[in-house]
Amino acid sequence: TGAASSGYSVGDRVEAELVFYPSAVPLRAQIVQLFSGAAASDEPLKLPDHSLGEAYRSYEQAMLQQPWLGVWPLCIRSARVRRHGAQLFLCDSDDKAAPLALSLLPAQVSLASPLLSLAKLDAIGLWDGYYLTLCWAQTELGRWVNA
């Protein structure tokens, strides 16, 4: 939501100095100085090398420090989208971690459905403790963005 209200889109790159608001788990930041304007880039994002299970454990650790946490950004490598009935899930490509249910919002289901045919993707999403809202994915066919 911050990207939508700031004029930035998922995948835009800016060079800036940030100051994070005090928190046990700092997530919110203010731009103090902007060195370059937003520019779309086809370069892959540099994500941590986390499986779905490792990304979920980062959420658990954050919850230990800040139990009232609203949403947590997850960066996941080598995942896949699968369907069970009408529900979509993000799964580890090796099925070692429990799958995370994707948001039930019709727009998310509609936009994420084409990802079902792909063997593997790297993704960024927001986990609220119940559902994952996919925001961005890098696939073998290129970049997918939840627009």
Side-chain angles (χ1 to χ4, degrees), residues 5 7 14 17 23 26-27 34 44 47 50 59 66 68 72-73 81 85-87 96 104 121 130-131 135 141:
S5 63
V14 297
E17 179 183 351
S23 172
L27 288 174
L34 194 59
L47 299 178
H50 291 163
Y59 165 73
Q66 190 165 326
W68 52 88
W72 181 252
V81 175
Q87 179 67 57
K96 289 186 178 181
L104 292 172
L121 55 91
Y130 300 99
Y131 296 103
C135 299
L141 300 175

Side-chain angles (χ1 to χ4, degrees), residues 98-115:
L100 300 182
L102 294 186
S103 170
L104 292 172
L105 295 173
Q108 174 80 134
V109 173
S110 175
L111 286 169
S113 289
L115 299 174

